[in-house]
Amino acid sequence: MSEWELVVGLEVHARLQTRTKAFCSCENRFGAEPNSLVCPVCLGLPGALPVLSSEVVRLAARMALATRCTVHERSIFSRKNYFYPDLPKGYQITQFDRPIATGGELEIFFEGDTKRIGVTRIHIEEDAGKLIHDPRIAGDDSSLVDLNRSGVPLIEIVSEPDMRSSAEAVAYLSRIRQILMYTAVCDGNMEEGSLRCDANISVHRPGEPFGTRAEIKNLNSFRFLAKAIEFEKTRQISILEGGGSIHQETRLFDVQSGETRSMRSKEEAHDYRYFPEPDLLPLEITGAFIDEVSRSLPSLPGHRVDRYLKEWHLDRETAETLVADRALADFFESAVRQSQSAPVQIANWVRNDILGVLNEKGASIFDLAITPDSLAALVDLIEAGTISGKIAKDVFAEMVEKGGDPERIIDERGLSQISDEDQIRDVASRIIADHPGQVEAYRGGKTALLGFFIGQVMKKTGGRANPELARSILESLLTGE
Ligand code: ADP
Ligand code: MG
Ligand code: ZN
């Protein structure tokens, strides 16, 4: 029998970066004093009426177009009814059978490969409040409710069940996050809950119909997503191999144990009694609005990768690394435009050296003093042979910390490369005279000692000798030509 195959579909919730909440003028801001950002509408007081913010529609449409969805001219808000202490109205306003957008797709990159993943739908909904159970805050026998989040706008992005491994699911979530951040639809902050995801997971034998899925709720990091999928895959396979069957259910991922456990089965599933929201008109969007949103989209990570591969001849791995962060990609592109050197040279510096510093410091490119034009100048100086690659690293370190023009730094510190033959020959002759033993060994056949002599020349010149020149001069002196 063939191996089990994993099937994953994700539902991603993204908090929209709007000024106000979805249906009232309360501020949409994380981390404020509890219950300080509330009004009769988001408190669910009787008689208060919702008014849809146009910013919400604009951002939802941006994400929809960025994932190649069709944005519908008419969509409907519905009530999803349930009781929970963080939901004062007793229902959530969401979109149900007529979402704002459907039928999109995007490309993911994982383990050296690319793949297309379908986006089933995107709909607009409001967030609920937050319950605080922490006894240090709420006391031992009570819970508190903070309604600042009540009515904050979200979009839910539902994928097709197109992913076949946890690595693919992580790559998909990561691409969604990149696009949300490029388009400024969502800040992508997973610690603050701006981005959370539910994973639908099943297993089957290839060629057979999909298996029954379990839905793991509220995963708020890439690591937890991967762990939950791996755990769930193993759990389902062992049940099926033991002759059991999988029941459709909602499960929770326990961060401490790394396991998932049942929350509710399909039989106990909520009946949300969806019906069209009577306080809101159907949402109608004009073609002109869609065109306007479409024109305002920035160049997206997928497009940039294509361009880097085709026009600048980078490898895909490097291109993907550079586009992961829009600010870094902008920095890279700006440096390429200002440099005479090949884009690959610039890419290597950004990917290895700049990213190295950023990771080490946990900083963003805006925190570094180095600018795109100064990096371009540095790479050009290496290409022109004015400084060696090794010295460039020292100059780079200073540029990162203090900024400044590489040529000035090189001048001030006397770092430019020595390409004067006589000067190098002088140094080389002295070294040869100082090391008769090594010279004899070299002449006796141990030609690998050439490296030793080159090293000595570099040391004497503070790394400034042109290494190729040093090599050829040493070779000719040592062989006595
Ligand atoms: P619901 O609204 O009940 O969650 P949906 O039909 O909207 O159901 O599906 C939700 C998610 O489940 C989608 O992301 C979809 O890709 C995924 N999905 C559907 N069937 C399966 C399956 N057999 N295995 C894994 N994921 C699935
Ligand atoms: Mg679901
Ligand atoms: Zn409000």
Side-chain angles (χ1 to χ4, degrees):
M1 249 202 285
S2 56
E3 283 295 312
W4 292 104
E5 182 180 62
L6 177 72
V7 174
V8 180
L10 297 187
E11 296 165 79
V12 179
H13 296 262
R15 184 194 299 152
L16 300 180
Q17 280 191 92
T18 52
R19 205 173 41 78
T20 68
K21 293 188 181 182
F23 304 111
C24 61
S25 54
C26 290
E27 206 185 330
N28 170 16
R29 175 158 59 90
F30 179 83
E33 176 75 12
N35 298 308
S36 63
L37 308 175
V38 291
C39 76
V41 174
C42 54
L43 287 174
L45 301 188
L49 291 174
V51 177
L52 175 62
S53 145
S54 62
E55 233 185 323
V56 167
V57 180
R58 184 177 297 275
L59 293 186
R62 260 172 101 76
M63 187 57 184
L65 293 172
T67 52
R68 291 181 241 149
C69 284
T70 304
V71 176
H72 298 295
E73 283 174 16
R74 189 182 173 91
S75 61
I76 309 275
F77 286 98
S78 292
R79 283 190 185 181
K80 178 178 180 178
N81 299 280
Y82 63 95
F83 171 78
Y84 209 66
D86 64 9
L87 189 73
K89 290 200 297 287
Y91 60 86
Q92 178 192 23
I93 302 178
T94 181
Q95 293 187 310
F96 179 53
D97 47 358
R98 299 281 302 272
I100 183 169
T102 55
E105 59 175 11
L106 50 81
E107 274 87 40
I108 61 167
F109 175 69
F110 67 101
E111 290 165 358
D113 221 344
T114 62
K115 182 173 170 178
R116 202 157 277 207
I117 305 291
V119 173
T120 315
R121 56 186 265 147
I122 294 181
H123 68 251
I124 299 170
E125 61 185 33
E126 59 176 339
D127 210 344
K130 198 165 103 186
L131 292 180
I132 296 148
H133 305 294
D134 185 342
R136 286 168 302 178
I137 301 168
D140 281 334
D141 50 7
S142 47
S143 290
L144 298 173
V145 60
D146 175 8
L147 293 172
N148 281 351
R149 205 175 66 183
S150 169
V152 161
L154 306 176
I155 49 174
E156 181 173 332
I157 306 152
V158 181
S159 84
E160 290 291 307
D162 284 349
M163 288 151 271
R164 295 289 173 273
S165 68
S166 57
E168 288 182 33
V170 165
Y172 170 83
L173 182 61
S174 148
R175 184 67 100 208
I176 288 278
R177 181 167 178 269
Q178 285 171 9
I179 298 174
L180 286 166
M181 291 171 75
Y182 265 72
T183 51
V185 166
C186 169
D187 66 18
N189 189 328
M190 298 179 83
E191 281 105 74
E192 293 181 358
S194 296
L195 195 64
R196 354 189 248 271
C197 113
D198 304 338
N200 294 271
I201 301 162
S202 67
V203 295
H204 75 142
R205 306 241 189 230
E208 291 181 6
F210 283 168
T212 304
R213 70 191 152 104
E215 179 172 354
I216 320 299
K217 283 282 180 197
N218 261 326
L219 298 162
N220 64 355
S221 83
F222 291 106
R223 199 161 54 88
F224 295 158
L225 172 64
K227 276 186 145 180
I229 292 174
E230 290 302 330
F231 178 86
E232 196 51 29
K233 177 184 179 185
T234 310
R235 186 186 74 87
Q236 293 184 11
I237 291 174
S238 78
I239 290 175
L240 293 169
E241 302 222 308
S245 56
I246 307 296
H247 305 286
Q248 193 173 331
E249 61 177 352
T250 304
R251 299 176 70 86
L252 278 182
F253 177 68
D254 184 326
V255 176
Q256 248 68 45
S257 67
E259 300 179 351
T260 68
R261 58 189 154 76
S262 185
M263 201 170 124
R264 56 172 183 261
S265 73
K266 188 158 190 210
E267 291 73 56
E268 315 156 27
H270 287 109
D271 177 1
Y272 293 118
R273 211 168 48 88
Y274 283 98
F275 61 83
E277 166 62 61
D279 290 339
L280 289 168
L281 290 167
L283 172 60
E284 288 186 351
I285 297 177
T286 62
F289 178 83
I290 294 172
D291 289 346
E292 185 200 321
V293 173
S294 181
R295 275 195 303 274
S296 77
L297 285 181
S299 171
L300 296 167
H303 298 146
R304 293 195 191 207
V305 167
D306 287 346
R307 194 150 47 79
Y308 297 177
L309 298 190
K310 286 199 194 90
E311 290 173 27
W312 291 348
H313 311 293
L314 304 195
D315 62 273
R316 185 174 283 275
E317 190 86 45
T318 303
E320 287 286 349
T321 307
L322 294 177
V323 303
D325 170 7
R326 181 177 173 182
L328 192 71
D330 286 345
F331 182 100
F332 164 66
E333 291 183 20
S334 167
V336 166
R337 280 194 295 272
Q338 297 178 73
S339 159
Q340 317 297 316
S341 314
V344 177
Q345 306 293 345
I346 306 277
N348 287 338
W349 277 87
V350 174
R351 182 186 177 167
N352 302 323
D353 301 84
I354 297 218
L355 215 50
V357 173
L358 295 183
N359 291 339
E360 190 188 305
K361 297 185 182 231
S364 109
I365 187 73
F366 299 120
D367 302 326
L368 303 188
I370 190 168
T371 56
D373 60 309
S374 63
L375 178 69
L378 180 70
V379 176
D380 288 350
L381 289 167
I382 307 165
E383 293 294 296
T386 311
I387 50 169
S388 67
K390 190 149 172 294
I391 288 201
K393 302 275 172 187
D394 292 343
V395 177
F396 173 80
E398 178 166 340
M399 288 161 65
V400 164
E401 290 300 327
K402 302 188 204 146
D405 169 52
E407 243 164 314
R408 201 208 70 226
I409 297 170
I410 290 162
D411 262 10
E412 274 175 15
R413 295 175 40 187
L415 292 174
S416 64
Q417 182 155 281
I418 302 167
S419 294
D420 180 58
E421 288 198 31
D422 293 339
Q423 209 178 333
I424 295 176
R425 187 169 293 111
D426 252 21
V427 176
S429 312
R430 257 181 288 135
I431 286 163
I432 286 173
D434 288 349
H435 296 88
Q438 280 88 342
V439 173
E440 203 184 311
Y442 179 90
R443 290 182 176 150
K446 279 190 77 178
T447 52
L449 277 168
L450 184 61
F452 162 79
F453 287 107
I454 295 173
Q456 291 297 309
V457 170
M458 297 314 280
K459 207 164 140 195
K460 274 270 169 349
T461 58
R464 292 170 55 217
N466 178 326
E468 270 99 79
L469 219 51
R471 164 184 295 270
S472 70
I473 288 170
L474 279 164
E475 259 178 339
S476 75
L477 288 175
L478 285 165
T479 50
E481 279 158 18

